[in-house]
Amino acid sequence: MATADVAHHEEHHHHPSGVMRWITTTNHKDIGTLYLCFSLSMFLLGGLMALVIRAELFQPGLQVVDPHFFNQMTTMHALLMVFGAIMPGFVGFANWMLPMMIGAPDMALPRMNNWSFWILPFAFTMLLSSLFTAGGGPAAGWTLYAPLTIQGGMGVDMTIFAIHMMGISSILGAINIIVTIFNMRAPGMTLMKMPLFVWTWLITAFLLIAVMPVLAGAVTMLLTDRHFGTAFFDPAGGGDPVMFQHIFWFFGHPEVYIMILPAFGIISEIIPTFSRKPLFGYTAMVLATAAIAFLSFIVWAHHMFTVGMPLTGELFFMYSTMLIAVPTGVKVFNWVSTMWRGALTFETPMLFAVAVVFLFTIGGFSGLMLAITPADFQYHDTYFVVAHFHYVLFSGAAMAMMGGAYYWLPKWTGHMYDEKLGKIHFWLTTIFFNVTFFPQHFLGLAGMPRRIPDYALQFTEFNVISSIGAFGLGFAQLLFVYVIVKCVRGGSKATDTVWEAPRGLEWTVPSPAPYHTFETPPKIA
């Protein structure tokens, strides 16, 4: 009997090696690694497209690419960054960390987990292939507004199908996360004992399930307008292009929080560790996260103040948008309070966390400026908006992911990363990020429209500064890749706790985390 048990145990621990391990894996750590590697590659590719945009805008006039290709680059950069870098990156963190944080042996639905990842490479291959079709890829901004998307070539159809596949992947991942968190927590881990990263992902997963079908509906209506004679968004047939904006932003605004809530979760793990204090106001943080998610459904039309809404509508969306600043302010207050009188040290993850709190708050303030309807009439569709959402999404989401990568990399690999290079990467990223995007606030206030390949002479100086910053920011990320590769290949051995006083179950397992983590669930005191 004992021999049979041992054989079964060996069988359980055996996993295929080589390429088949990665293709057939159902292990949450392997799938998390696949998501993170995919996210990083899309981040670099999307960044390359951003450099094409900034190279063209380095001087007035048309010098590098033609206007149609420029519009394809702005659209493709946005789609790759949103659906290819930020969202899969956070799903990668969820796959790696959630089972370890709640004491589960794996994700609840491991085969579906494998499938939800492998849909993505095919979706993005299709999306990128659209650039090589007659008429090129989509050139309508990431919002894919009709009527621009009704007029495009075959590349638009490929984009629509790619978005469907990404949406399926997101919904499958979200279902898996919800089932795992509700059903596989260790004995004694009540909902209010879960780490904040788990809470932010639980709420994010519900947002995904609620809004991804809305985007699917919008792009399906586009598809039928293009090929099946409907006129949902075509005024010639009695349709309304503004309806597309309503449907799109009903998805689009919760989507912004889908990209930022997991970042809040990561920051809420890092700051207490390096402050050597528990998180201040845990319950308030959970409630604030839920409030942000709820309010994200009733503010969508603040993206549309200039379409000719009735005054009542403008007032409603203005006030509800201002209201969402309250739970966000609670979070910032609690992070700062956690650091207050803590025994702070500034390792690389903490540097990123503090920068996220500071820079995301700037993005929040410019968001409040955009929330004021009469003021938004001036800012709308200018570079002020571009600056605002990069302060939210780059210094909010992307830099939080970088901080999270440095924070958990020793746990994943068993090696410490090069702290000195990590800090150099942090300072280069932070400085060049601000050099790139801060001048864009002034360009927008001076009236420079976004998504244009050429501009008037008075905008030259700020565009030159912005483009220099963008190239610096882009090349700084190559250092990030180098630090990760160097850490994976070796380095000083990481202890089990890695940091001085981290809290959470993931620090109770060895570094690197074993292939199967909790065979017997831990007991939570």
Side-chain angles (χ1 to χ4, degrees), residues 253 257 292 295-305 309 313-328 364-373 376 388:
H253 203 77
Y257 292 99
I292 287 171
L295 289 171
S296 73
F297 283 99
I298 57 169
V299 297
W300 79 88
H302 67 208
H303 298 268
M304 301 167 51
F305 282 145
M309 250 189 286
E314 288 179 343
L315 286 170
F316 171 81
F317 287 107
M318 178 168 85
Y319 290 133
S320 60
T321 304
M322 290 173 157
L323 190 61
I324 214 164
V326 176
T328 313
F365 280 132
S366 59
L368 273 174
M369 292 169 71
L370 289 160
I372 300 164
T373 310
D376 184 75
H388 157 71

Side-chain angles (χ1 to χ4, degrees), residues 357-368:
V357 174
F358 184 74
L359 296 172
F360 176 81
T361 304
I362 293 176
F365 280 132
S366 59
L368 273 174

Side-chain angles (χ1 to χ4, degrees), residues 262-280:
F264 289 170
I266 291 174
I267 298 307
S268 303
E269 298 300 321
I270 295 174
I271 288 178
T273 296
F274 296 99
S275 305
R276 289 158 186 79
K277 279 172 64 185
L279 183 70
F280 180 87

Side-chain angles (χ1 to χ4, degrees), residues 67-228:
H68 184 56
F69 187 72
F70 180 90
N71 286 341
Q72 291 174 54
M73 283 292 98
T74 53
T75 304
M76 205 57 97
H77 161 71
L79 291 174
L80 284 186
M81 288 304 198
V82 169
F83 295 109
I86 304 283
M87 288 169 73
F90 282 131
V91 178
F93 278 103
N95 264 295
W96 247 105
M97 300 316 302
L98 289 186
M100 286 163 63
M101 287 177 155
I102 63 174
D106 205 311
M107 296 295 278
L109 307 163
R111 290 188 179 179
M112 191 165 95
N113 205 11
N114 173 292
W115 193 42
S116 68
F117 170 75
W118 280 109
I119 291 171
L120 285 179
F122 293 96
F124 281 88
T125 304
M126 184 186 286
L127 178 63
L128 290 162
S129 306
S130 70
L131 289 170
F132 304 102
T133 59
W142 84 281
T143 51
L144 304 173
Y145 275 0
L148 289 169
T149 30
I150 295 174
Q151 297 158 357
M154 180 184 160
V156 176
D157 300 321
M158 293 170 75
T159 303
I160 288 170
F161 281 113
I163 286 173
H164 273 298
M165 290 164 78
M166 297 165 206
I168 291 167
S169 167
S170 294
I171 290 169
L172 292 178
I175 291 169
N176 204 352
I177 285 165
I178 291 169
V179 175
T180 304
I181 294 172
F182 278 151
N183 294 324
M184 298 186 70
R185 300 194 306 280
M189 179 169 283
T190 59
L191 286 173
M192 292 311 281
K193 283 184 186 167
M194 296 194 311
L196 214 82
F197 180 67
V198 181
W199 260 114
T200 54
W201 245 118
L202 179 63
I203 290 166
T204 301
F206 278 108
L207 283 179
L208 276 166
I209 290 173
V211 301
M212 291 313 285
V214 178
L215 176 65
V219 294
T220 305
M221 290 155 87
L222 271 181
L223 197 66
T224 60
D225 271 15
R226 286 169 56 81
H227 298 292
F228 298 101

